[in-house]
Structure formats: C-alpha cells, structure tokens
Amino acid sequence: MAAARALINVPPKARRGEVIGIKSLISHEMETGFRPNATGQLIPRNIIKEFVCTYNGVEVFRAEFFPAVSANPFVSFTTRATESGTITMTWTGDNGFHASESVAITVE
Amino acid sequence: MTELLTTAVTRRRFLIGAGGAVMVMAAPSARAQFVAEGEARSAAMRAAIKAIVGENSLPQGRIKIELPPLVENGNAVPLSIAVESPMTDADHVKAIHVFTEKNPQPNVAVFQLGPRAGTADIQTRMRLADTQLVVAVAEMSDGSFWRDEVEVVVTLAACLEES
Amino acid sequence: MISRWRIAAALAVIGATFPAIAEIPMSERKSGYDFMGKQTQAMQDDDTANAGMLWVLDGEALWKRHAGAANKSCADCHGDASASMKGVAARYPAFSPALGRAVNLEQRINSCRAERQQAKPLAYESKDLLALTAFIGRQSRGLPITVADDAGTRKAIESGRATFTRRQGQLNLSCAQCHDDNWSGRLAGAPVTQGQPTGYPIYRLEWQNLGSLQRRLRNCLTGIRTIVPALGAQELVELELYLMWRARGMTLETPGVRP
C-alpha cells in the first residue's frame, strides 16, 4: 500500500487553558464496500475505522468512522492547551492501515 | 470471441435492467416494495439510535447540526455539529453519534470527547446517497441524550463519467 | 438512470431552443468557484481542509526525488520551486516551437523526465503526474493566467476555439452552447458554469480524487455523447489552450475544489 499523506493543523503556540482548534486531513479512498465494480462484483470495503488524538500521551479525542465518512477524511475538533508537548494523531483501518502524525505545541 | 460474448451479456443485462426500472414505476407491487425498502432503512436508523440511547428519552435540543441547505455533491457533504455544554468534569459531552436514514448503513461516525475538549464543536464530511434525514445524538455525562435532525436535499451532478 | 435521461433531455433542449449568443464579455467572466456554495468554497480556501493539498505535498516530495538513468531530481535543475516555478502553470499549455505544437503542463513535465532525467514518462491521471502538476500549479496560485502572443500559439488557440464551438455528438451540442450561452442556467440542479479552467488540477467531490482539465473535458464530451479523444490528444491540448486564453487574466486557484 502506498504511504498515506496526512495534513494536520495545530497552532504552534497557545496560552495555558486556551481552547485550540485542531484540523486533520488524510489521504484514503474510504471504499464503502457497497459499490459494484464494472463486472457487477462488490468492491471490498477498505476504510479508516478509527482516529485517535493524544496530547502528551493522554487521549483527548477519538472518532469511529463508518463507510459514510467521505474519502480523504477531514475532522476538525477542539482541545484545551494544558502544557507544552506533543499532539499525536493516529488513523487505523481495514487491511492493516496505520498512519500517525505528531506536532509540537508550546504553551505559555 | 470472449469480448463479443461479454458485450452481448452486458447488453442483455442493460435491457433487463431498463425493463426493471419501468416496472418500478408501473406495477403497484414493485412500488410497494420500493416504499417498504425505504421504511426498512428508516427502521434500521431507528434501531441504530435505540442501540445507543436505549429506553432513555431523546428530546430535540442542546445539539445543533449544520449542513448545506442544498448539497452540491453527496460524496462530500460538510457537516458541523455543536453541543451546548460547559465541558467541565461534572458536566460535559461524552460522545456525538451521527446517523442517516437512506444510506446503505445508518451509522456515519461516533466522536468521543470529554472535558479536555473545551468545546463540543466538530466538523467532518459525510456521504449522502440521496435526499434524506440526518440525525445527530449527543450523549452527556449526566446520562441524558439530546438530538437534532435535518432534512438534506442532494442534487445530482451533471455530466459524469460513464453516464 | 431516469435522472441521467433527464439530463440528456435537458441538454437536448439547450441545443434546440437557444440561439448562439457570443463569447462572454471579459467583465462578466466568473470562476467555477463563484458558482459554488460557501461550504465548498471554504473547503478550497483552507489548506488543511482542501484535499488537493494532499497531492501538492506528494508533488513536493516527488520534486526532490531522484529519478531515471540520470539520477536527477526536478530540484537538481530547477532548485526552489517557489521561485523557479512561479507563474509557470499560469502560462500552460504553451506553444513549443521545437515540437511545432502546443504542449500542456503534464506533457512538459514528461518531456523534462525524458530529456533531463532519462526516466519513463508518467501516465496521464497517474497519482504521480497529478501530484507534480498540482505542486507546480500551486506555485502559481493567485497569479493571473497568461497566454503568449505568437503565430504558433494563435493558430493553436483558433484550433481549440473551433473544437469549442463545433456542434458534435448525439446531442449535437457545442461546448459554447452551454458555457458561453447558458452559463447562468442550471442542469439537473447544478450550475452550468462558464467552464473557466482556473483551478486545475482540481479536487472534484464527484471524483473523490484529484483530476486534470483533460479528465474534466472528457466528462463533458461524454455528457454530450460524442467520440471522446484519448487523454493527451492534441485536440484536447488545444481546447485547454483555448480555455486558458478565454480565461486570460483570471486568477489561478490551484488546487481548486469543485463539486
């Protein structure tokens, strides 16, 4: 499988206690499993099933996806800036799909 | 030879398919079946909601869905959900569940959040197979459930590949 | 199925009812962006929400990757793309005096691969060619579309214009009948638009993928039920060039998002 490309947006700096917006986009076809191919056979499902965001190792947000989530899934959510450190996003799915991206945040 | 055979089969399939489509419009029994399928899908959505909410009441309020009034393409419909909540340890949104009425499967996504989220404000993009109802359910830390629902009109894109 | 028939019927009505008007006045030209809902516009405006940026990032990696028998990267010759590629996509397709014909950006990338990298050409609509095109196109975002003024270019533009205005296919429609004469109308609920090529390659929600202008043109040609030229056909390159000339001065938005 080709490597997935992810794009995440977290403000590099925030004030302690501030609610920050986090946006994430990842390349994935999100094949539903409900579509027939040219010969009428169903194309097997191939989706991202889970998206998890951790902040210095502590889970702060989680999403479970079904086939109705669009291709190249986009999710935007918020979290409270508590301390400087690392925000990590992980996507897992069918056929052993796994991707992870991390970004540093400085909290003052 | 193989190619010719395939073409012949495809044509016949097309004719059967076309005949079937005419029957849907003409025969009352086929029409009834179409309606029954729609009801079954609605029932599937109700069952999926009940699996989350159980016997709890599910009033409308506190949660708000925002979807474009007229969807330009059902493959990627921007969906915003916001829940009114102080998002404190004592009072916060635990999860948001999204359902549709006429997609092949009623579940769309589940978002799990907690007091650290600061707000319950989520955006994503979803697929909508047809004009239909979208329902979002907020599961709160006090055990209550709240819902919002929106009827969305999906337009058909013109000039597609293989049309 | 029935809905598709309705679209065909609506297209047939356009062909039969409306007299030809003329080219769109410069001041009335509108990008496909202007016909979209605000939510779809927001997808394009925000780089983290614009799925086309995933291909731009892939293209950036490819730009630096060594390829072919010459083991060279694009960057080895062209350096920093933000400087060297600025404005390039805004002036393609361009007439090549050496080849004696118009060449689009995809073909230009492939000739660079053949001559400088001694690498195999990238297939049309392949992920890598789309990624490189998107990355190069991104360097011209915000710049005006420009078309050279020389005899070779003018001849190719005229050839493209002839394709644009020629009635063809089972519906006997020309591109101009929809996109010059009826761009303010709607077809099956969707705006017809002017067909201005301001954002290519685009992330089209319908495709759930990035795609080239030629892919989009082939969609249109399928819609009017005509014989669709292969990707890379000279007729399509000249049509691309005509469309860019028609959109001259308009702002490039690459990577655009369209429904």
Side-chain angles (χ1 to χ4, degrees):
Chain A
M1 181 188 290
R5 175 75 60 184
L7 193 55
I8 60 180
N9 189 342
V10 175
K13 277 186 185 172
R15 282 175 289 106
R16 192 175 305 276
E18 184 184 349
V19 176
I20 56 168
I22 295 180
K23 286 187 264 190
S24 70
L25 185 67
I26 186 164
S27 62
H28 197 287
E29 61 191 294
M30 293 297 282
E31 186 59 57
T32 61
F34 299 114
R35 286 198 316 155
N37 63 15
T39 58
Q41 260 116 20
L42 283 185
I43 305 168
R45 191 187 82 171
N46 179 23
I47 65 166
I48 293 175
K49 292 194 283 192
E50 193 177 71
F51 166 72
V52 177
C53 177
T54 60
Y55 192 146
N56 281 347
V58 179
E59 183 179 311
V60 291
F61 182 83
R62 172 185 291 262
E64 187 187 350
F65 292 162
F66 293 86
V69 169
S70 300
N72 303 306
F74 169 80
V75 179
S76 148
F77 56 97
T78 60
T79 195
R80 212 179 280 280
T82 50
E83 57 191 349
S84 294
T86 309
I87 292 179
T88 302
M89 288 171 223
T90 309
W91 297 261
T92 50
D94 292 332
N95 306 313
F97 182 86
H98 181 93
S100 193
E101 283 283 335
S102 290
V103 63
I105 181 166
T106 306
V107 176
E108 288 153 349
Chain B
M1 184 62 213
T2 320
E3 202 172 29
L4 275 174
L5 206 64
T6 316
T7 312
V9 170
T10 312
R11 283 217 181 116
R12 178 181 285 177
R13 266 207 201 133
F14 170 75
L15 289 172
I16 293 167
V22 171
M23 272 180 60
V24 168
M25 291 190 298
S29 63
R31 171 74 193 161
Q33 191 190 337
F34 180 76
V35 170
E37 265 177 36
E39 277 169 7
R41 292 237 171 116
S42 289
M45 182 178 76
R46 286 197 298 274
I49 293 173
K50 190 154 194 283
I52 300 299
V53 176
E55 298 303 321
N56 290 289
S57 67
L58 186 61
Q60 195 150 13
R62 290 191 69 174
I63 180 167
K64 185 92 193 117
I65 304 174
E66 201 183 308
L67 279 161
L70 195 71
V71 169
E72 291 178 308
N73 192 292
N75 285 338
V77 185
L79 167 71
S80 297
I81 298 172
V83 189
E84 280 172 42
S85 165
M87 295 304 276
T88 58
D89 286 343
D91 183 4
H92 58 264
V93 180
K94 277 172 70 181
I96 296 167
H97 308 259
V98 186
F99 307 92
T100 64
E101 187 189 14
K102 288 183 187 164
N103 279 2
Q105 190 180 12
N107 306 77
V108 176
V110 182
F111 303 100
Q112 285 173 20
L113 49 169
R116 283 192 62 167
T119 68
D121 201 342
I122 287 162
Q123 293 178 310
T124 189
R125 290 170 201 155
M126 65 182 292
R127 290 171 166 145
L128 283 170
D130 203 347
T131 292
Q132 58 180 304
L133 199 64
V134 175
V135 179
V137 172
E139 181 181 348
M140 315 300 270
S141 56
D142 66 1
S144 67
F145 292 88
W146 300 82
R147 75 169 210 283
D148 190 19
E149 51 189 57
V150 175
E151 181 80 31
V152 189
V153 177
V154 179
T155 60
L156 185 75
C159 297
L160 305 173
E161 274 156 29
E162 301 153 12
S163 63
Chain C
M1 194 95 200
I2 291 161
S3 306
R4 295 285 140 73
W5 293 342
R6 258 196 219 147
I7 291 172
L11 281 165
V13 166
I14 288 174
T17 320
F18 298 96
I21 303 173
E23 281 175 17
I24 301 163
M26 297 278 274
S27 62
E28 287 175 32
R29 293 177 309 168
K30 288 164 80 175
S31 165
Y33 178 91
D34 300 316
F35 291 86
M36 309 194 305
K38 66 175 165 56
Q39 287 91 348
T40 315
Q41 289 181 341
M43 275 191 220
Q44 175 173 316
D45 294 343
D46 176 355
D47 275 353
T48 322
N50 182 340
M53 287 306 291
L54 296 168
W55 279 261
V56 171
L57 289 176
D58 275 338
E60 187 176 17
L62 286 171
W63 179 260
K64 295 172 189 155
R65 188 181 300 165
H66 291 235
N71 196 33
K72 275 186 175 173
S73 71
C74 308
D76 285 343
C77 289
H78 298 287
D80 178 3
S82 69
S84 64
M85 291 296 119
K86 192 173 179 178
V88 170
R91 56 174 188 265
Y92 268 83
F95 182 76
S96 160
L99 297 171
R101 58 178 165 85
V103 171
N104 67 12
L105 187 57
E106 289 86 345
Q107 292 170 330
R108 185 67 191 82
I109 290 167
N110 269 333
S111 75
C112 230
R113 279 181 69 82
E115 288 161 28
R116 310 290 171 195
Q117 295 179 304
Q118 294 164 38
K120 275 190 276 188
L122 299 169
Y124 263 101
E125 297 306 302
S126 63
K127 193 167 184 288
D128 283 0
L129 187 55
L130 286 169
L132 271 173
T133 316
F135 174 66
I136 294 168
R138 170 69 183 80
Q139 312 310 318
S140 297
R141 182 153 86 181
L143 295 178
I145 292 168
T146 56
V147 178
D149 186 20
D150 57 67
T153 306
R154 281 196 294 272
K155 191 158 172 276
I157 290 170
E158 283 318 307
S159 174
R161 188 207 300 270
T163 302
F164 189 81
T165 52
R166 187 179 75 239
R167 282 177 168 241
Q168 54 177 324
Q170 290 179 329
L171 300 184
N172 195 28
L173 269 178
S174 72
C175 311
Q177 283 175 288
C178 281
H179 300 291
D180 273 351
D181 302 347
N182 290 290
W183 55 265
S184 58
R186 296 178 85 84
L187 187 58
V192 173
T193 83
Q194 297 180 351
Q196 308 284 7
T198 42
Y200 286 88
I202 57 166
Y203 185 82
R204 195 177 182 210
L205 304 185
E206 175 58 34
W207 296 333
Q208 308 183 59
N209 213 328
L210 201 79
S212 70
L213 176 52
Q214 291 211 358
R215 180 176 178 184
R216 186 67 191 87
L217 293 174
R218 293 175 90 246
N219 284 188
C220 255
L221 293 168
T222 303
I224 59 171
R225 301 182 180 189
T226 187
I227 294 161
V228 181
L231 287 165
Q234 197 57 27
E235 187 182 359
L236 291 180
V237 175
E238 287 163 354
L239 185 53
E240 280 186 76
L241 175 59
Y242 170 70
L243 291 173
M244 289 295 266
W245 175 82
R246 187 170 165 264
R248 63 197 179 282
M250 294 178 76
T251 303
L252 207 70
E253 302 161 22
T254 310
V257 173
R258 297 290 183 270

